[in-house]
Amino acid sequence: MELIIISGRSGSGKSVALRVLEDLGYYCVDNIPVNLLPSLVRSVSESYDKIAVSIDVRNLPKQQQEFNDILEYLPGFANPILFYLDSDDQTLIKRFSETRRLHPLSINNLPLDLAIKEEKQLLDVLITSADVFIDTTDLSVHQLAESIRERILGKKDKQLIITFLSFGFKHGMPKDADYVFDARFLPNPHWEPELKPLTGLDQPVQEYLAGHSIVQKFTWQIQTFVQTWLPHLERNNRSYLTIAIGCTGGQHRSVYLAQTIGESFQRSHPNVQIRHREQNN
């Protein structure tokens, strides 16, 4: 039996994830007390072979060992996978302000910013046990839904989904990256007046960068690195691999590299995605 546990800080997208799993045929239960999880699995196991539950901070044991003990009581046929969703503090504050929802810990008269920080401390019991971590800070509802869907289907079909992600270091590193390459040492189109307003998706920028041997060498080295270790990663039963490439602002060099390298892998691998984080903001 497949058992997926969805948790994370309030406002990080747990409800979206649970809706996606319901669409994929999972029997879903929202906000279940953790100590009832073994009983739930036993009671529905005859009718369902895929279960998904969400857990929030109000229904967690306070000790790591207590959480581990509850998982030990699960039937032997259940294979739990814990998804942990999170966003940075400012994004969570913005989401609660926009929806005007009350934070679960605000019932203790905590201001929103302190409730968000307190929640993270209380959820440490889960973070250390998470099998999959998804940073939803820069993801729209649709992007998060697609990310959940890809990870579930990729795991089921035993197909590795590869994402080439461009980003800007000044906006923070992506938390869900498996490998990060720093392109800030390469020639910067930002300093060329006619190229500054463009991006790495525009032909003039692409021609500028492709004309530098150091860019060509760096592109080749990233491609070689991924090609060398990809078979080993696939044999390790991974379902999702994110190769992040960053430059200063995430507009020119990283976009060019992620696009160029991603397109080269799309010709030989069926599940390759290309995302430009700063272009989607």
Side-chain angles (χ1 to χ4, degrees), residues 140-153:
S140 67
V141 170
H142 301 295
Q143 289 170 333
L144 173 57
E146 186 62 25
S147 178
I148 295 290
R149 193 175 295 110
E150 288 172 354
R151 289 167 192 255
I152 297 299
L153 294 178

Side-chain angles (χ1 to χ4, degrees), residues 20-78:
V20 171
L21 291 168
E22 189 170 26
D23 290 342
L24 291 175
Y26 285 76
Y27 178 88
C28 295
V29 180
D30 190 12
N31 198 20
I32 185 174
V34 183
N35 61 340
L36 296 181
L37 190 54
S39 298
L40 171 71
V41 172
R42 289 187 175 90
S43 65
V44 304
S45 60
E46 293 185 4
S47 302
Y48 299 92
D49 61 358
K50 298 190 298 184
I51 301 175
V53 300
S54 70
I55 297 170
D56 79 9
V57 69
R58 292 167 292 186
N59 294 315
L60 277 179
K62 292 183 172 56
Q63 300 297 324
Q64 176 71 49
Q65 188 56 49
E66 187 178 351
F67 177 72
N68 293 339
D69 290 343
I70 293 170
L71 294 184
E72 288 293 326
Y73 280 111
L74 287 170
F77 55 78

